[in-house]
Amino acid sequence: SFELTQPPSVSVSPGQTASITCSGDRLGDKYASWYQQKPGQSPVLVVYQDNERPSGIPERFSGSNSGNTATLTISGTQAMDEADYYCQAWDINTAVFGGGTKLTVL
Amino acid sequence: QVQLQESGPGLVKPSGTLSLTCAVSGGSINSSNWWSWVRQPPGKGLEWIGEIYHSGSTNYNPSLKSRVTMPVDKSKNQFSLKLNSVTAADTAVYYCASKIATTLAFDYWGQGTLVTVSS
């Protein structure tokens, strides 16, 4: 079955660039989406169709997807970006989520 | 803007059936969106359960397919989740979410509801 793999944790200093990867077999042939989830809150869509941002999502969030890896990039990371991030893609008619990455801003 | 609200019992006995409803407001369930259920066990990641279209077409997670049904009630603008033969492993926060067919992303989410499976 199709699986998505993310690093459990990523750390970044305020103002620096954070990169969170998501790996899956031929993931680049599919659209990747990314969700931000803060403690006690519902997930929020931050990137869809690999590199599109929904209305209201800051420009510092961007994405890319090629080969077997999709990447969420947060430029100029702020303390408010500290959260869990999940990648997601569709395999035939099944949605698959990555295991999640805890982003720590310190 | 679409708003989603889950409702249902917070406690279900083992071997019983988990039943939740998601009320859709600010939009019609007859739109081009697909309507999904996603769950998150305490301290763990997200797991997609399945989705339904207003026509009644469904797609389910293969790992749960044998235990899941997702009826839609167009007259009440809501859809539901029924998961039978539950065990403690089904304890989770259950979210309903909408997916725009053109983006393949879950753009709106409910607040989530915790369901505990325990005797």
Side-chain angles (χ1 to χ4, degrees), chain B residues 9 20 25 33 35-36 44 48 50 52 79 85 87 97 105 107 110 114:
Chain B
L20 297 173
S25 59
N33 288 10
W35 308 97
S36 274
K44 297 187 178 181
W48 180 75
I52 187 164
F79 61 105
S85 304
T87 69
D107 54 341
L114 174 63

Side-chain angles (χ1 to χ4, degrees), chain A residues 35 37 42-43 49 86 90, chain B residues 40 95 99 102 104 106 110-111:
Chain A
Y35 303 86
Q37 186 181 34
S42 303
Q49 289 185 339
Y86 295 89
W90 288 86
Chain B
Q40 184 171 36
Y95 297 98
K99 177 193 79 177
T102 53
L104 301 181
F106 300 108
Q111 66 183 25

